């Protein structure tokens, strides 16, 4: 029993590495294998690696990835800086809605047609306001005729060819597109048409706050509201307002002028060139101060 | 470059950089990573698996002598030990691509050595030694004929010579348990894992071996 206990304690000491037996064994000289065996094993190890990876130069081995990473970073930074520089050097672009893409050919054709009609009507209005009252009456009669609806229009194929094909003058006379000039019975169809065009243009260009109609857009301008692309020049707009004033449509002229002032904030109206507008402008300012 | 493209490019750069910094790209030694000699055996073996032959050299340097001593004392013949030693390393080289860290590298290579040793015994005329059967009677049976040469005595290493002679006369399984403990500093559980027995059996073999050796060298 005592022997067993003694053995146990000695074995525990041995397991903990405190036995004289371990110290004695450590005194044995540890010889290695022959140099030939060493060489054979190391050669096999190298051959196994080379067979798969191919020869590796000492430089590329340790610095290959860091160098490659540095090169990638330098190149990418250069590309980004260059692209930024190029963007800065370009001319300032118009509003994003206009930049994105050109409107579809159908819309362009519609727009062009609307403008043609508007200029023609403006000419007629000038005649009606200034020249022979008989002609003016004739024109007004024409304007009060029912407006041709979209369904009544001749079926046309979409595209640039539509824009190129001129319509008969009679048909154009039957289609006064401008809201302000249209008869009440026909304005519904015209609004529908304009709404359809707006919808198309919004779909094509993306919905943007810039393309939403301003109060002035619905009246005299009557364009297809293509945002920054179709904004009128100041002189054209002022001429239109003058025409409205000449026709005695002061309310519409006032709305147009307000819209004009919102669009051309810093534009100074020439009092000599546009005396009526200048008077109206003064009145608007007075009203605003009064409000 | 659109916004989407630049976002993708930024993500790609970030991913590559983080992987490089963390050293996740295999087979590459990074300057900011620890030197090879600071790596563990398992890390070295993984490096070697991924194509770093210098990692193998270091691993070989670490295990060359203890493994050879274990084989030499276990089979008692330097020539056979060299043959077994070479086979073990060649098997390791062949198995490098399949290496996974499931246990410590030390356990892994000594397990390979043990298996090679058993193969060697199996090819012998007597087959696998009976001491591996773990028969209690076999564990106790031991005849030690002290055959120390005069040269060993003259050299003043009588005790050591006695111990080596006694070691050679130990049953193979007990000798292996003792050599694994002394050559490599493995724990009982690791010895059991290498020799394919439970820890109680490994402990029993080791206990018998130390008891017999102490008796011979009178420590």
């Amino acid at each position: 029993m005592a022997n067993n206990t003694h053995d146990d304690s000695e074995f525990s000491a041995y397991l903990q590495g405190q036995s004289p037996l371990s110290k004695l064994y450590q005194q044995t000289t540890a010889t290695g294998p022959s140099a030939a065996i060493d060489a054979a094993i190391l050669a096999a190890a190298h051959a196994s690696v080379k067979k798969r990876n191919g020869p590796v130069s000492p430089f590329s081995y340790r610095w290959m990835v860091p160098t490659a990473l540095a090169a990638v970073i330098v190149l990418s930074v250069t590309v980004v800086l260059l692209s930024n520089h190029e963007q800065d050097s370009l001319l300032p672009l118009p509003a994003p809605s206009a930049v994105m893409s050109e409107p579809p050919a159908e819309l362009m054709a519609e727009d062009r047609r609307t403008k043609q009609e508007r200029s023609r009507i403006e000419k007629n209005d000038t005649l009606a306001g200034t020249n022979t009252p008989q002609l003016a009456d004739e024109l007004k009669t024409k304007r009060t005729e029912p407006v041709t609806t979209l369904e009544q229009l001749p079926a046309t194929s979409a595209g640039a060819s539509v824009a190129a094909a001129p319509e008969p003058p009679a048909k154009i006379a039957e289609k006064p597109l401008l809201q302000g000039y249209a008869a009440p019975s026909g304005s519904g169809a015209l609004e529908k048409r304009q709404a359809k065009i707006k919808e198309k243009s919004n779909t094509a260009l993306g919905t943007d706050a810039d393309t939403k109609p301003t109060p002035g857009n619905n009246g005299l301008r009557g364009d297809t509201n293509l945002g920054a692309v179709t904004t009128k020049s100041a002189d054209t707009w002022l001429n239109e307002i003058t025409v409205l004033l000449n026709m005695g449509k002061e309310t519409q002229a006032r709305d147009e002028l307000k819209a004009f002032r919102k669009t051309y904030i810093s534009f100074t109206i020439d009092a000599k060139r546009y005396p009526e507008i200048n008077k109206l402008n003064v009145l608007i300012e007075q009203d605003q101060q009064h409000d | 470059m659109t916004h989407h493209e630049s976002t993708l490019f930024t993500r790609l750069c970030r991913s590559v950089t983080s992987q490089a910094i963390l050293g996740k790209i295999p087979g590459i030694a990074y300057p900011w990573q620890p030197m090879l000699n600071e790596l563990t055996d398992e890390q070295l073996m993984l490096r070697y698996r991924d194509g770093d032959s210098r990692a193998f050299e270091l691993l070989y340097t670490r295990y060359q002598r203890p493994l050879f001593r274990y084989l030499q004392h276990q089979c008692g013949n330097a020539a056979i030990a060299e043959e077994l030693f070479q086979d073990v390393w060649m098997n390791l080289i062949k198995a490098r691509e399949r290496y996974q860290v499931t246990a410590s590298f030390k356990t892994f290579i000594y397990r390979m050595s043990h298996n090679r040793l058993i193969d060697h015994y199996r090819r012998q005329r007597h087959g696998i030694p009976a001491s591996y059967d773990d028969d209690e009677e076999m564990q106790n049976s031991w005849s030690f004929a002290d055959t120390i040469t005069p040269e060993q005595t003259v050299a003043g290493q009588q005790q050591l010579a006695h111990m080596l002679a006694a070691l050679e006369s130990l049953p193979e399984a007990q000798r292996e348990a003792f050599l694994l403990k002394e050559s490599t500093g493995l724990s009982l559980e690791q010895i059991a894992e290498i020799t394919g027995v439970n820890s109680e059996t490994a402990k029993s073999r080791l206990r018998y071996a130390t008891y017999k050796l102490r008796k011979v060298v009178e420590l």
Side-chain angles (χ1 to χ4, degrees):
Chain A
M1 185 68 184
N3 269 347
N4 279 346
T5 315
H6 181 68
D7 287 347
D8 282 344
S9 63
E10 278 193 343
F11 186 63
S12 299
Y14 170 76
L15 286 179
Q16 288 165 12
Q18 296 162 355
S19 167
L21 198 62
S22 296
K23 287 170 189 164
L24 187 65
Y25 181 76
Q26 296 309 324
Q27 288 174 20
T28 56
T29 49
T31 54
S34 64
I37 297 283
D38 283 346
I41 290 168
L42 290 174
H46 284 289
S48 165
V49 170
K50 278 181 187 170
K51 197 163 64 182
R52 193 182 169 198
N53 299 342
V56 180
S57 72
F59 172 78
S60 63
Y61 194 80
R62 196 169 177 80
W63 290 97
M64 184 172 60
V65 167
T67 312
L69 271 177
V72 165
I73 289 166
V74 166
L75 279 175
S76 55
V77 165
T78 312
V79 166
V80 169
L81 286 176
L82 275 175
S83 64
N84 283 344
H85 182 70
E86 278 177 16
Q87 277 182 1
D88 290 344
S89 64
L90 286 174
L91 289 171
L93 294 168
S97 58
V99 176
M100 282 173 68
S101 63
E102 267 197 24
E106 194 184 347
L107 290 177
M108 294 290 281
E110 286 284 349
D111 189 37
R112 211 172 295 134
R113 206 181 307 147
T114 310
K115 280 179 180 171
Q116 283 173 0
E117 286 170 356
R118 193 178 59 207
S119 61
R120 197 171 296 133
I121 288 163
E122 277 174 13
K123 275 183 190 172
N124 291 340
D125 281 344
T126 315
L127 288 171
T130 56
N131 296 339
T132 53
Q134 195 183 352
L135 186 58
D137 287 343
E138 228 172 62
L139 282 168
K140 277 178 187 172
T141 316
K142 273 191 177 178
R143 271 187 232 121
T144 52
E145 282 174 2
V147 175
T148 317
T149 58
L150 282 173
E151 290 75 19
Q152 289 170 319
L153 287 171
T156 53
S157 60
S161 60
V162 177
E167 289 189 19
K171 277 268 163 75
I172 294 171
E174 282 173 5
K175 293 194 298 173
L177 289 176
L178 302 178
Q179 194 181 6
Y181 294 95
S185 59
S187 64
L190 180 65
E191 278 170 7
K192 271 185 192 174
R193 189 173 172 176
Q194 283 185 338
K196 195 177 175 185
I197 292 166
K198 275 177 196 170
E199 195 182 330
K200 280 181 184 174
S201 69
N202 282 339
T203 314
L205 301 172
T207 309
D208 197 321
D210 293 342
T211 58
K212 284 179 182 172
T214 57
N217 282 351
N218 294 328
L220 182 63
R221 291 166 68 188
D223 55 29
T224 51
N225 193 21
L226 293 176
V229 174
T230 56
T231 305
K232 290 186 281 194
S233 71
D235 285 336
T236 313
W237 206 338
L238 289 172
N239 283 330
E240 287 174 359
I241 295 168
T242 312
V243 170
L244 279 175
L245 283 172
N246 289 337
M247 286 172 66
K249 295 181 176 178
E250 196 178 326
T251 317
Q252 283 183 9
R254 189 180 282 241
D255 289 343
E256 282 296 318
L257 187 57
K258 281 178 183 174
F260 174 82
R261 286 174 57 180
K262 278 181 187 172
T263 310
Y264 296 99
I265 296 165
S266 58
F267 187 85
T268 313
I269 298 169
D270 189 358
K272 286 178 186 173
R273 199 170 164 192
Y274 304 104
E276 298 92 349
I277 294 176
N278 195 37
K279 281 178 194 171
L280 189 62
N281 196 24
V282 171
L283 284 173
I284 290 170
E285 281 176 0
Q286 282 174 359
D287 285 350
Q288 282 173 349
Q289 282 173 3
H290 187 68
D291 290 339
Chain B
M1 188 183 282
T2 64
H3 176 69
H4 182 63
E5 284 170 347
S6 67
T7 311
L8 279 178
F9 182 72
T10 312
R11 278 187 192 165
L12 180 71
C13 284
R14 204 179 295 159
S15 166
V16 169
T17 313
S18 62
Q19 288 212 352
I21 289 168
L22 295 173
K24 283 184 180 174
I25 299 174
I28 301 296
Y30 299 93
W32 51 85
Q33 282 187 338
M35 299 298 289
L36 275 182
N37 54 15
E38 293 169 6
L39 297 177
T40 62
D41 298 339
E42 293 77 31
Q43 286 170 328
L44 285 175
M45 188 57 202
L46 287 174
R47 284 281 187 90
Y48 175 56
R49 181 194 68 181
D50 296 334
D52 187 350
S53 56
R54 292 182 312 150
F56 179 85
E57 286 173 17
L58 191 57
L59 210 50
Y60 184 72
T61 311
R62 284 184 190 177
Y63 282 90
Q64 180 202 35
R65 284 175 183 272
L67 186 63
F68 185 75
R69 184 160 66 164
Y70 155 73
L71 289 171
Q72 192 181 15
H73 285 161
Q74 182 62 24
C75 56
N77 184 317
I80 294 172
E82 279 198 342
E83 186 192 332
L84 298 181
F85 179 82
Q86 188 172 3
D87 285 351
V88 168
W89 285 105
M90 289 301 180
N91 287 340
L92 179 73
I93 290 166
K94 279 179 197 166
R96 80 176 174 97
E97 288 181 351
R98 298 190 303 274
Y99 179 76
Q100 299 284 337
V101 185
T102 51
S104 73
F105 179 76
K106 194 184 276 185
T107 311
F108 177 72
I109 196 164
Y110 277 96
R111 173 90 186 162
M112 286 176 78
S113 306
H114 167 81
N115 290 341
R116 182 66 191 87
L117 205 58
I118 295 295
D119 276 349
H120 163 71
Y121 287 136
R122 197 176 282 132
R123 285 173 196 168
Q124 300 287 87
R125 197 175 51 183
H126 303 295
I128 299 170
S131 63
Y132 284 100
D133 292 342
D134 294 319
D135 187 355
E136 185 69 19
E137 196 179 333
M138 181 58 68
Q139 300 284 4
N140 281 317
S141 68
W142 178 50
S143 59
F144 172 57
D146 204 339
T147 53
I148 298 169
T149 58
E151 291 78 17
Q152 287 171 325
T153 313
V154 170
Q157 295 180 339
Q158 193 175 0
Q159 216 174 23
L160 184 60
H162 274 293
M163 195 196 75
L164 288 176
L167 190 63
E168 274 183 40
S169 65
L170 280 176
E172 288 81 356
Q174 291 173 17
R175 186 164 67 228
E176 188 179 23
F178 178 79
L179 288 173
L180 285 172
K181 177 80 178 85
E182 289 302 326
S183 298
T184 64
L186 290 165
S187 67
L188 274 175
E189 287 72 25
Q190 286 173 315
I191 293 169
E193 192 185 337
I194 288 166
T195 52
V197 294
N198 59 44
S199 14
E200 280 306 311
T201 307
K203 188 177 180 180
S204 170
R205 286 176 182 175
L206 193 58
R207 182 193 284 270
Y208 278 115
T210 53
Y211 174 72
K212 289 168 186 173
L213 289 174
R214 268 203 313 274
K215 267 175 72 174
V216 170
V217 294
E218 294 172 353
L219 289 169

